[in-house]
Amino acid sequence: MAPREKKESEKRKNIVCVKLTDIELSILDQHADGVRLSRSEYIRGLILNKKITAKYQIVINSEDIRELLMQYGKIGSNLNQIAKYFNTGGERSIAMEEEIHHCLADLFSLRKEILKLAGDLNGNRKTY
């Protein structure tokens, strides 16, 4: 999708140059990076008294997380098969109820492991 053409009044054609010390530039960069904005966007927001909110993007490249997600998929597939069985008139049995309880226990166990990993990644081991 191509970006829409801006109206003449929306085009930014004026350039403002500001001299900063190394420390001031570092502070500007830290603040702008902290809210995931460019320097220009950050300064523009300050000038226009806009509320500047932090934008977060969490990226995890972890084999542990990938493994847990695969396990969640397998458990979800099992639960879907069980639901289909009951929805098509299947009879309840002790074995089926045990399987349901087993799947739910697995889900809670995986949830606990994910919370542990999230705590480790964020430096907080008391998440779980």
Side-chain angles (χ1 to χ4, degrees):
M1 178 187 235
R4 69 176 180 86
E5 188 66 28
K6 292 183 179 181
K7 298 177 190 174
E8 190 62 32
S9 63
E10 293 177 335
K11 290 183 181 178
R12 293 187 175 104
K13 53 189 174 193
N14 299 306
I15 298 172
V16 177
C17 294
V18 178
K19 290 185 177 185
L20 300 173
T21 66
D22 290 341
I23 293 172
E24 290 168 335
L25 181 63
S26 175
I27 291 170
L28 173 60
D29 287 340
Q30 286 176 0
H31 285 242
D33 289 345
V35 290
R36 304 270 190 235
L37 294 175
S38 68
R39 289 177 185 165
S40 296
E41 290 171 317
Y42 183 76
I43 292 171
R44 207 174 293 118
L46 291 175
I47 293 169
L48 299 174
N49 291 323
K50 290 184 178 178
K51 181 179 179 185
I52 299 175
T53 56
K55 298 176 185 177
Y56 298 102
Q57 180 180 5
I58 300 171
V59 178
I60 299 174
N61 185 10
S62 170
E63 285 298 318
D64 294 336
I65 297 293
R66 192 170 292 123
E67 178 65 30
L68 290 173
L69 289 174
M70 286 184 352
Q71 289 180 24
Y72 262 125
K74 291 175 185 177
I75 293 169
S77 177
N78 289 345
L79 289 174
N80 283 335
Q81 290 173 11
I82 292 167
K84 181 179 178 182
Y85 174 81
F86 284 125
N87 289 332
T88 56
E91 292 185 28
R92 292 181 68 162
S93 68
I94 292 175
M96 191 62 67
E97 286 186 26
E98 287 176 358
E99 179 66 19
I100 291 170
H101 289 292
H102 177 71
C103 287
L104 291 173
D106 286 348
L107 284 173
F108 282 112
S109 174
L110 283 174
R111 179 181 179 272
K112 187 175 180 179
E113 286 184 47
I114 288 174
L115 290 174
K116 281 182 186 178
L117 285 173
D120 288 346
L121 292 172
N122 292 321
N124 178 4
R125 299 186 194 286
K126 294 187 179 185
T127 303
Y128 47 93

